[in-house]
Amino acid sequence: MSGMTRPSLHALRQRYFVEGRPLDNKSARELADDPRAGARAILDAVVRRRAANRSEGQRLRTMLRYEAALWQSGLVHVAGVDEAGMSPLAGPVAAAAVMFAPGTRLTGVDDSKKLDAETREALAIEIRSKAAAWCVAFAQVDEIDTINIYWAGLLAMRRAVEGLGQPAQHLLIDARRLKDVAIPQQPIVKGDAKSLSIAAASILAKTARDAVMADYDRQYPGYGFAQHKG
């Protein structure tokens, strides 16, 4: 291809990054043969993006292995359950239950502790919009003081499960078992890093509790609740 007929670098960036078009083999060869340094940089970036997409796809397949097995067995309403706020010295404990339709894939969803606040907030919006059902529930400070934090965490989880818009057929829970909930369930150690539904629940629970602590900070300035929310 002559220099006069080559697309501009701006057009190439628009095509492959703004519009997100796939790079076919012919276009890849043309970019590889293009003497412009910018063209090579675009090709390298597209190749890296492809590799990242493949890696994320594999990660999501792994994160969905528990859900996929249950969906394939005929259980459609599978909910992931997790909590946030078991260690901090102030505020309530929050829990969330999240149910996705079979086949749902959400890029970037992971254990909430691995994500920064901005990413968690963005994913929480996407989770709420794409979940078949979700619920966030709390156990308040007076309940924590009465029954202790361990049982308060289980109470918040039970409330989240009971608050789902449609009954769950099976629960995937982060390292816990809800003995007073008559739904088949599977506790998974470090489940927020192994199950997409549990990870999604961890994100909703964490962002909901963070919002409460930010509100406390406005009501009771000077204690640093917004910065030290746990």
Side-chain angles (χ1 to χ4, degrees), residues 177-194:
R177 184 177 291 278
L178 301 178
K179 295 182 179 179
D180 54 350
V181 173
I183 300 173
Q185 51 196 273
Q186 181 177 1
I188 302 171
V189 176
K190 297 184 179 179
D192 47 7
K194 297 177 181 177

Side-chain angles (χ1 to χ4, degrees), residues 84-134:
M86 295 293 287
S87 299
L89 297 177
V93 58
V98 179
M99 188 186 305
F100 292 117
T104 301
R105 294 163 64 90
L106 290 179
T107 301
V109 171
D110 205 344
D111 174 4
S112 64
K113 296 185 290 298
K114 297 179 180 179
L115 307 172
D116 59 47
E118 183 178 357
T119 301
R120 283 196 301 265
E121 293 292 344
L123 285 171
I125 294 171
E126 187 175 10
I127 290 164
R128 290 192 293 267
S129 69
K130 293 187 177 179
W134 63 273

Side-chain angles (χ1 to χ4, degrees), residues 168-181:
Q169 296 171 295
H170 195 97
L171 304 178
L172 300 172
I173 308 177
D174 186 25
R176 305 283 197 96
R177 184 177 291 278
L178 301 178
K179 295 182 179 179
D180 54 350
V181 173

